[in-house]
Amino acid sequence: MEINKGEKLKNGSEKLFDKFRERLALNGATALICANRSDIAAHIADIAAREKKDGGRPVFHLSAHLASSSASSIETAIGSIEGAYITKSILDDNGIYIVPASALLIEDGALAVDSALCAHEETLFGDICVLIADGAEIYNNIIDFFAAISAGKSSIKAHNITIIAGPSKTADIEKQIVTGMHGPKKLYCMVINY
Amino acid sequence: MALFLKDKNIININKNAKKALADKTLQANLKKATAEAVFKRNQAAAVSETFESSRDIAIAAREASISMLRKLSDEFVENCVKNNIKCFVFDDYESANAKITDLIKERGADFIVKSKSMLTEEIELNRHLKLNGIEAIETDLGEFIVSLAGEKPSHLTAPALHKSRREVARLFSEKLDMPYSEDPAQLSYFARRYLRDKFMSARVGLTGANFAVSDSGLIAVIENEANARLAINLPQTHIAVFGVEKIIRNLNDLPHFLNLLSKSATGQLLNAYTSIIGPPAEGKERFFIIVTKRRFEIAADPVFKEALRCIRCGACQNICPVFQRLSGHGYEFCYGGPIGTVLAPFFIGYQKCAELIDASTLCGFCKSICPMKINLPALILQHRFHYGADKKIKKPLFKHLKKLFSYLHSLIMSNNVLSRVIQPFARLYFKITAAVFGRNYIPRWSVFSKRDFIGMAPKTFMESYFTKNKKKSREKEGDKNGN
């Protein structure tokens, strides 16, 4: 089953999202669906609260290329969190980076990020990376995704693709998985569906 | 005999095997790591809807690209130029190393940040850079660990597979002054902090490439840690080094390879990061160094071209009963395990591989798990045939003795009269050795054959058969008389 760019995850397509959530979880990340603006606020507050638990004020970095519809909701949500602030500078190891995802690959539990819309550092730095899929293209799998790119049916250019499937991780010491080896320790995907 | 086995011109598999088997920690590490890798690979393949179909498509795609490798290589270079990427093709290691060294020196760098690349192991880049005053800082955690230990990687995708957490803890404590901890998370984060400074100040980043796409002049780099992305995107200059066999035809073929590699290598649906690398960003520069050494020759070989299908996932290593005990280091070649045994004679010659090509049980596990369905046991067997048949290859004494023994054995066993004459003497011999040594002892047999002689049955099959039948017919006769 395929759904088109930006189509809402309703009328039977919820099953796709369930599969995506399940597969993304296998890759060590969390998928969240936002059916309205208050959902965004609730999820952002939840992530910030977890971050705060680790100490310090939650710092957010918002990518300049976030879709305006979700960016304003996210800014409002952050504004309502006590102590939280937004910075435009790209920090090193701290903070929550919120960046746009351009495509969802359902069966692979992965997201494609367009480097034309998001600096590489934005998905490499910070403790937490939140990918916002707002009007993202949706594909069954990586095979369909590349077929669309080859056929010029995707808005993403091949040389701008970074596919992200989970947080940075290593299992080089006794096969024990440690997240956050060189990149973010946690990865969230928020699918905006309103 | 010992003189021949110690010959530096031979990879000492027997000696290495004895050493590896005596190391209990190594055996425990290998057993745990390889078993888990196979389990995860099977799980990921079972979950995937497209794994099996991708296998067939990728094999066909690779076969097609191998058959026109020179053409694809030229096309790839042309497209790289269009992408503002400077491309260099070298047939020998020395020239490739010299070019990379020049590129680094021209940029005034005395160190580079480097992500895992097996080709750089093959060309021994780090050693060459060191000789030229350039430090290659390995940033993949596994590579970082083995480079600190002064070792080579022991696995295609898990370089420090042979090391326990205790060994890593000792290493970090001694070499990096880290407070002693055996916690993998603490060890990893310490390495992260140590390496982040290097990333931020590096002028040159060097990576490998998992695949190169001919029709668009792009490469794909797959990883989990994000160190390759940092090495590609933070420094001013990016150099990617890879073998010409990595070139595939087009973007439609690519996802099938990505699909297979992630599942077969690390048991993941997809690796955490898949980067498609093309034109450099404004103000930055990118170089591709392509090594062709022996690859076109292998591609033209009707039998061994199959070996170029390999996507370096390491699955054959994980499942191989020999690798599981010997470890990658035991192979003394950058590519260990079954695929290494197939490739080694091409790169280091048959002479050195006299023992290596025997280091396989030919059980076929590797063939079954290989995502590209490479018939590795058949290729290893082909090497053995070639090695035995080629009179130009200077063979060690034990090979000649083994051949002589096999010849005499087949001569006796295929001749009814000879075997009947010899058998009673042989039985008597083994009866005596069993009484004296407690086993079927033949001096030096284990050196030639790598296992004890199985001995001889007290009676031949025919003798047993007739004795049994005689007994039965006597019993029957007795019954009849009794009745």
Side-chain angles (χ1 to χ4, degrees), chain B residues 390-407:
Chain B
D390 194 341
K391 290 193 169 63
K392 286 178 200 161
I393 302 167
K394 196 182 161 195
K395 297 173 181 81
L397 179 64
F398 78 91
K399 286 276 181 187
H400 290 294
L401 290 173
K402 196 177 170 184
K403 198 173 176 182
L404 179 70
F405 193 90
S406 299
Y407 174 72

Side-chain angles (χ1 to χ4, degrees), chain A residues 92-93 163 168 172 179 182-183, chain B residues 139 142 189 192 196 225 272 274:
Chain A
D92 191 357
D93 276 348
I163 296 170
S168 157
D172 275 334
T179 62
H182 286 289
Chain B
T139 59
Y189 295 146
R192 173 186 166 126
R196 183 55 65 92
E225 295 185 5
T274 303

Side-chain angles (χ1 to χ4, degrees), chain B residues 92-213:
Chain B
D92 63 306
Y93 298 156
E94 293 74 22
S95 308
N97 280 330
K99 185 68 199 174
I100 297 166
T101 309
D102 287 348
L103 289 172
I104 297 166
K105 277 187 171 172
E106 282 163 14
R107 273 133 201 96
D110 57 3
F111 77 94
I112 59 164
V113 280
K114 181 175 171 286
S115 79
K116 211 179 89 57
S117 151
M118 285 311 292
L119 192 96
T120 60
E121 296 295 333
E122 186 187 322
I123 67 175
E124 296 194 300
L125 176 68
N126 289 10
R127 192 177 60 87
H128 188 89
L129 291 179
K130 198 176 174 185
L131 289 173
N132 284 278
I134 300 164
E135 190 190 0
I137 298 170
E138 296 287 356
T139 59
D140 171 89
L141 180 64
E143 289 277 353
F144 180 64
I145 291 167
V146 292
S147 70
L148 268 185
E151 296 172 3
K152 298 228 171 212
S154 69
H155 189 277
L156 285 173
T157 57
L161 179 111
H162 58 290
K163 288 240 176 281
S164 67
R165 65 178 73 195
R166 191 168 295 171
E167 288 169 310
V168 179
R170 260 202 308 266
L171 194 66
F172 278 29
S173 170
E174 283 166 17
K175 302 260 171 138
L176 302 174
D177 289 331
M178 179 189 162
Y180 188 87
S181 166
E182 290 179 12
D183 177 13
Q186 281 192 36
L187 291 163
S188 303
Y189 295 146
F190 186 87
R192 173 186 166 126
R193 284 190 296 275
Y194 178 86
L195 291 168
R196 183 55 65 92
D197 291 339
K198 308 286 181 191
F199 277 121
M200 300 305 277
S201 55
R203 291 181 184 174
V204 179
L206 190 140
T207 68
N210 296 92
F211 303 100
V213 186

Side-chain angles (χ1 to χ4, degrees), chain B residues 61-62 64-77 80 87-93 96 117-120 122-123 208-214 218-219 240-249 257 288-300 305 307-312 335 347:
Chain B
R62 196 63 131 188
S65 60
I66 292 167
S67 68
M68 50 178 180
L69 201 53
R70 276 185 198 277
K71 192 181 154 216
L72 289 184
S73 169
D74 294 342
E75 186 189 47
F76 177 74
V77 173
C80 285
C87 227
F88 301 95
V89 183
F90 297 103
D91 188 45
D92 63 306
Y93 298 156
S117 151
M118 285 311 292
L119 192 96
T120 60
E122 186 187 322
I123 67 175
N210 296 92
F211 303 100
V213 186
S214 173
L218 307 171
I219 60 167
V241 194
F242 49 93
V244 72
E245 78 281 9
K246 297 288 174 85
I247 300 177
I248 57 170
R249 294 174 303 182
F257 289 102
F288 289 163
I289 308 288
I290 304 169
V291 176
T292 61
K293 183 162 177 132
R294 304 281 331 243
R295 270 103 172 149
F296 290 132
E297 211 177 307
I298 302 172
K305 67 177 182 181
L308 288 189
R309 280 194 215 154
C310 178
I311 55 171
R312 307 280 190 269
Y335 307 109
F347 294 97

Side-chain angles (χ1 to χ4, degrees), chain B residues 17-43:
Chain B
K18 273 182 198 163
K19 196 178 158 193
L21 288 167
D23 187 340
K24 300 293 170 209
T25 313
L26 175 69
Q27 291 303 313
N29 296 345
L30 284 169
K31 192 177 175 185
K32 186 181 171 191
T34 54
E36 201 172 321
V38 172
F39 177 73
K40 280 187 171 179
R41 176 265 175 209
N42 290 343
Q43 258 190 336

Side-chain angles (χ1 to χ4, degrees), chain A residues 96-163:
Chain A
I96 302 164
Y97 280 66
I98 303 180
V99 291
S102 297
L104 299 187
L105 315 180
I106 303 291
E107 290 170 4
D108 303 304
L111 300 109
V113 171
D114 186 347
S115 63
L117 301 177
C118 156
H120 287 288
E121 288 85 344
E122 291 179 320
T123 52
L124 284 168
F125 290 166
D127 282 333
I128 296 172
C129 180
V130 182
L131 295 172
I132 306 290
D134 188 357
E137 296 169 18
I138 301 177
Y139 297 96
N140 279 328
N141 51 46
I142 192 172
I143 300 162
D144 290 353
F145 177 51
F146 273 92
I149 288 165
S150 290
K153 288 180 183 167
S154 170
S155 61
I156 313 168
K157 297 273 175 265
H159 61 266
N160 288 331
I161 299 170
T162 302
I163 296 170

